[in-house]
Amino acid sequence: TDFLSYRGLAMAAGHASDFSRGTRVLVAGLMATAAVASGCATGQVASEADQNNPTYQAAQKEGQVTWYTALDPTTSKSFIAAFNARYPDIQVNLLRLTSGQLTSRYSQERSAGAVPADVVTTGDDVFEADARQQGWFESSLELPNLASWPDAYYTEGSAKVSIIPLGIAYNTDIVDTPPSDWEDLLTADYVNQLQLGDPRNVPAYMQLAYLLRQKYGDDLLSRVRAQNPTVAPSIVNANQTIAAGGTRAVLPGTYSLVEELATKGAPIGFAQPDTTVGVEFRTMISAGSANPNAARLFMDFMLGPDGQRAMNVRAYSPLGEEYGAVPLPADFHTIPTSEMSGSEKELIALLGLQ
């Protein structure tokens, strides 16, 4: 199997060679929390109110839900643990990949007539728009927690569930004066000492380049290029390079990844410029899902207070700051990829990535 199941994790670890790379890398880190993530392993029982919920009763008969997500492993694990604490007998099969890998895989599977994923969480709005045209996701949902969900964060079956603003990650041992804005990375201190998240791989990075061009003009992006940055295919790896003293900073960084390393004692900090965009994660339910009731139960929990707190330990919650750890910056922008149409090649050229 390609999935990491939270009700049989020990068995999965014993056959790690059978797993795809996206799943295999999670096994070792999740073994320690298997008992927490799987309610069945701890003997937990759902509340009486939940046991009388018709959707939960139907989901129990299905017994499982398969979740494709681009959320980071720590957040995915936290959310599943919270879900299983409330619904202990619904097995969660997790496939965690980057947004690009995830959307490519899902598209290939749907094009082949298969529907292995019940629920999908991704930060790629281009994929979402295309998938909606293809009819791959439910376009109308009746979920209890949708009644109190902000209208601005829900469109035709797609709920925006988590927002991670983009900022700057930097080494706290090397950098004497922490940056506070994007222009602070354009000094001589950062020549050959800057990593650049590849906008060709992550839509939010392209959106940031577009926004910075809109505010500062072509000059800022050209000056970034003049710093001779190292292109970082993975911001996770870029943060580890910073923590090891390999470079001073990465543009962009995220609080969620920086905080995870900082809490372990790594010399890494995060700066949040006011003007920015973010990785905006959306969740949808597959049309033709094999486990439609478990999928609805899973997504409804995601939209509720407990689900939002578990999902946004290091991010912004659409329900507000009470449910997430990070506020939205003062000049935060949501930029649909369609708005940038025709600009991508120009932005890539300005950054010297051709």
Side-chain angles (χ1 to χ4, degrees):
T1 178
D2 286 326
F3 303 112
L4 186 62
S5 168
Y6 278 77
R7 252 180 31 187
L9 195 53
M11 182 182 296
H15 298 278
S17 61
D18 295 334
F19 281 59
S20 70
R21 183 179 183 277
T23 301
R24 188 166 58 244
V25 296
L26 290 175
V27 173
L30 294 177
M31 280 297 295
T33 57
V36 176
S38 174
C40 292
T42 61
Q44 292 172 299
V45 178
S47 70
E48 183 176 351
D50 283 331
Q51 290 184 43
N52 292 328
N53 177 352
T55 301
Y56 180 41
Q57 293 172 349
Q60 285 178 299
K61 295 178 182 178
E62 294 166 351
Q64 63 181 332
V65 61
T66 296
W67 183 29
Y68 281 19
T69 182
L71 287 163
D72 67 86
T74 299
T75 299
S76 302
K77 176 178 64 177
S78 171
F79 179 78
I80 293 174
F83 176 78
N84 274 145
R86 181 165 177 180
Y87 302 111
D89 48 0
I90 304 299
Q91 175 176 296
V92 180
N93 304 314
L94 171 67
L95 180 68
R96 191 272 162 188
L97 297 169
T98 65
S99 278
Q101 293 171 326
L102 185 150
T103 56
S104 176
R105 173 169 176 150
Y106 185 87
S107 297
Q108 291 173 1
E109 291 170 342
R110 291 307 300 254
S111 296
V115 192
D118 301 307
V119 181
V120 176
T121 300
T122 179
D124 189 335
D125 64 327
V126 174
F127 161 76
E128 180 191 346
D130 180 64
R132 185 179 290 126
Q133 288 185 342
Q134 298 284 346
W136 289 346
F137 294 120
E138 296 285 354
S139 60
S140 179
L141 297 175
E142 294 183 6
L143 304 175
N145 283 319
L146 268 180
S148 55
W149 194 254
D151 291 341
Y153 296 106
Y154 178 79
T155 304
E156 298 180 0
S158 171
K160 197 176 294 184
V161 295
S162 181
I163 300 176
I164 302 177
L166 298 183
I168 302 166
Y170 63 93
N171 183 290
T172 55
D173 285 346
I174 301 173
V175 177
D176 294 326
T177 303
S180 61
D181 208 347
W182 306 109
E183 291 179 298
D184 294 339
L185 299 177
L186 303 179
T187 66
D189 288 341
Y190 292 95
V191 174
N192 298 319
Q193 284 292 310
L194 183 64
Q195 296 181 82
L196 178 66
D198 195 338
R200 295 167 296 187
N201 295 339
V202 181
Y205 301 170
M206 187 71 77
Q207 292 159 8
L208 178 62
Y210 178 85
L211 175 62
L212 296 180
R213 186 190 193 191
Q214 294 292 101
K215 180 168 182 176
Y216 299 103
D218 292 355
D219 180 63
L220 185 135
L221 299 185
S222 296
R223 290 169 66 193
V224 170
R225 178 183 62 199
Q227 297 293 72
N228 193 32
T230 300
V231 178
S234 167
I235 294 300
V236 174
N237 293 340
N239 284 343
Q240 293 170 346
T241 299
I242 291 172
T247 61
R248 285 175 171 265
V250 62
L251 185 173
T254 64
Y255 172 78
S256 57
L257 293 175
V258 168
E259 181 66 9
E260 188 170 350
L261 289 174
T263 56
K264 297 175 182 177
I268 188 169
F270 179 77
Q272 182 62 76
D274 285 338
T275 300
T276 192
V277 299
V279 182
E280 304 186 24
F281 286 100
R282 303 161 177 83
T283 293
M284 295 79 69
I285 293 176
S286 294
S289 161
N291 304 293
N293 295 290
R296 282 166 172 73
L297 191 75
F298 191 78
M299 184 168 177
D300 188 57
F301 179 78
M302 192 177 291
L303 303 182
D306 292 342
Q308 279 296 288
R309 288 191 182 97
M311 177 163 285
N312 293 300
V313 174
R314 297 186 176 96
Y316 174 79
S317 167
L319 291 182
E321 294 182 27
E322 179 183 350
Y323 301 95
V326 177
L328 280 186
D331 192 27
F332 183 86
H333 293 252
T334 293
I335 301 177
T337 301
S338 58
E339 182 180 319
M340 302 187 299
S341 180
S343 299
E344 291 89 346
K345 290 184 179 179
E346 296 174 2
L347 295 170
I348 289 171
L350 286 168
L351 290 168
L353 299 180
Q354 288 185 322

